[in-house]
Structure formats: C-alpha cells, structure tokens
Amino acid sequence: MQIFNLDLQIILMQIPVDKIFFINLDRSHARLKALQDHLQEVPIRDKNGCEPIRFPALNGNQISHSIISKSESGKYGLPLSMGEKGCHASHRALLQMQIENNWEYVMYLEDDVRIQNNKIQELIKNWDQLPEFDFFNLSWKNFKHPFGQQVQPIEFPIPNLYSGNGMWLTHCYILSLYGAKKCEEHSRMQSHSIDWHYAGIQSWIKTIGFKYGTIAIQERKMRSTIIHT
C-alpha cells in the first residue's frame, strides 16, 4: 500500500517539461545535500518521469560570453563579481543544451530553491489553463528594472499569477524552446547579473510568473555562493 501511494504521488508531481535541471557548484556539498533532501519531500519529475538532473555550475573563469561594464550599457554600478559571471555562464550553458537538443520546455532550478508541495501539485492539475508562454518565472520579486516593469494579473485557480516583464530571480523558471533561443541571443554580452538581463528580455517574449512565495522561495538559511554587485 505504501509503495502504491508513493508511485501515485510521483505521478501527480510530473511537470509537463522535457527536462528539469538544477545548478550546483562542485564545492557546494551542503547545498546539494539540502536540495536532494528537499526533492525527496517534493518529488518533482519531468513529463517522462525522470528526476531533476544536476548541472555542475561554472565559475567566472569558465565563461564563453562577452563582458562589458555597466556604464557601457547605459547603467551604473560596481564591476561584475566572478560569481555573477559564473552564474550567467551556467544558465547560458543550459540554454544552449535546450537549443541543441530541441527540448520544447525545460525547467531551470538553482540549488537554493524550495518548492511548496501542495502548490506545485495544484499548478500541475491546472496546467492546461495557463496562457501560452515562453518564459514562466515560478517565483519572482520586484527589483530595479532596465525598461520599467509592467505586469497584469492573470485569472487562474492559484492567485498571484501575472503576465508582463521585470520579474526578477532565476531560482525557478521554465523556458520554451523559443524563449531559450531569445534568452541565449540576448545574454551573449553581460553587463549585470543574469536576473537583470532576464528581467529585460521578458519585455520581448511572452512571460508569465507567480509572485515570490506562491509556488517557490529561496532557502535563506545558507549563504549565497554569489557576491552581487
């Protein structure tokens, strides 16, 4: 009876995406263990029933994109940290994997994500009611935005769903193949954090998102591995 219940729970947690990846630095053993424990409690799977796949995060010395100063982009701020460069490169590497493999939808996670079990099940249950999207941020906050944020509420069984742009944070999001191509194109040159760039990219593609805390949050008990500038 217990085995049947576990199998049923896993089926209910299948998200209709081709792959689920989470980004984790090789040295971040505690963060990896904490996320693995969390994913035992919230056993999300892709549409084929496969578990989330670990992607070894890149560092600031492993980038293949270009770097420009914030002032060159028309903004101001301190130079990018090595962590910001590595984070940007890690997300771009997964974008390239999605594009190369023609995966229609991919879920991107960072290793500090924490997903609410009941809410993700409710989201899966009502998935067919979602509007068409290229960028789906499952946990966004408001911060400074390069173009000015414009969001509109979307009627949905779960509250706090919006369409628009300027949805910061990259710990839990889904991209369509078209969205991945646009994000790859617009992230080849980095001046700010990946969050800042994605907030701007959302102005040019179909973007929806749940406000922070509705579906997922970031675990704040562990120190960030990135120095933000």
Side-chain angles (χ1 to χ4, degrees):
M1 189 65 174
Q2 289 180 331
I3 293 175
F4 172 78
N5 285 339
L6 178 58
D7 289 343
L8 178 60
Q9 184 183 36
I10 290 175
I11 291 172
L12 291 174
M13 300 290 269
Q14 283 187 258
I15 301 170
V17 298
D18 297 281
K19 298 288 181 182
I20 303 174
F21 288 98
F22 66 89
I23 299 169
N24 169 255
L25 282 165
D26 287 341
R27 68 172 183 270
S28 297
H29 305 294
R31 295 171 72 95
L32 175 59
K33 177 63 166 59
L35 179 60
Q36 289 174 329
D37 289 346
H38 174 67
L39 292 176
Q40 289 293 317
E41 300 173 0
V42 188
I44 57 173
R45 301 289 189 270
D46 65 27
K47 68 180 185 182
N48 299 308
C50 299
E51 297 181 3
I53 302 166
R54 178 181 177 270
F55 177 81
L58 304 178
N59 63 49
N61 292 314
Q62 297 172 300
I63 67 172
S64 59
H65 59 276
S66 300
I67 303 293
I68 63 171
S69 67
K70 292 183 172 69
S71 60
E72 288 180 85
S73 71
K75 305 294 178 179
Y76 299 95
L78 296 172
L80 290 166
S81 70
M82 293 298 283
E84 286 175 318
K85 294 176 184 179
C87 180
H88 193 100
S90 298
H91 284 267
R92 275 185 50 78
L94 284 177
L95 291 175
Q96 291 165 340
M97 286 178 62
Q98 180 174 357
I99 295 166
E100 289 169 2
N101 288 280
N102 285 306
W103 290 324
E104 187 176 4
Y105 290 99
V106 170
M107 187 173 196
Y108 296 66
L109 305 174
E110 294 177 334
D111 62 7
D112 59 354
V113 67
R114 298 296 181 267
I115 299 169
Q116 296 191 53
N117 193 317
N118 61 327
K119 290 298 184 180
I120 195 68
Q121 291 193 54
E122 189 176 354
L123 173 59
I124 295 167
K125 179 181 176 181
N126 294 284
W127 195 269
D128 290 342
Q129 297 186 50
L130 287 170
E132 183 180 352
F133 67 84
D134 294 308
F135 196 125
F136 185 6
N137 192 325
L138 278 75
S139 184
W140 63 267
K141 283 187 177 183
N142 291 320
F143 292 95
K144 58 185 179 180
H145 178 51
F147 300 106
Q149 187 181 48
Q150 295 181 349
V151 293
Q152 295 291 331
I154 298 173
E155 186 174 341
F156 192 72
I158 304 173
N160 298 321
L161 179 64
Y162 291 80
S163 64
N165 63 12
M167 301 182 192
W168 274 65
L169 302 181
T170 55
H171 56 286
C172 189
Y173 65 95
I174 297 170
L175 289 177
S176 72
L177 180 57
Y178 176 78
K181 290 177 179 178
K182 298 304 289 184
C183 285
E184 192 282 326
E185 176 186 344
H186 288 278
S187 63
R188 294 173 186 173
M189 186 173 293
Q190 182 186 9
S191 60
H192 293 70
S193 70
I194 188 69
D195 310 76
W196 187 94
H197 285 279
Y198 275 8
I201 291 167
Q202 292 164 12
S203 298
W204 315 112
I205 56 180
K206 296 175 183 176
T207 302
I208 62 174
F210 281 105
K211 278 192 174 181
Y212 186 91
T214 305
I215 302 292
I217 61 170
Q218 288 178 294
E219 175 57 74
R220 292 300 187 183
K221 293 180 182 179
M222 294 179 292
R223 292 182 60 185
S224 174
T225 57
I226 301 172
I227 297 174
H228 294 282
T229 61

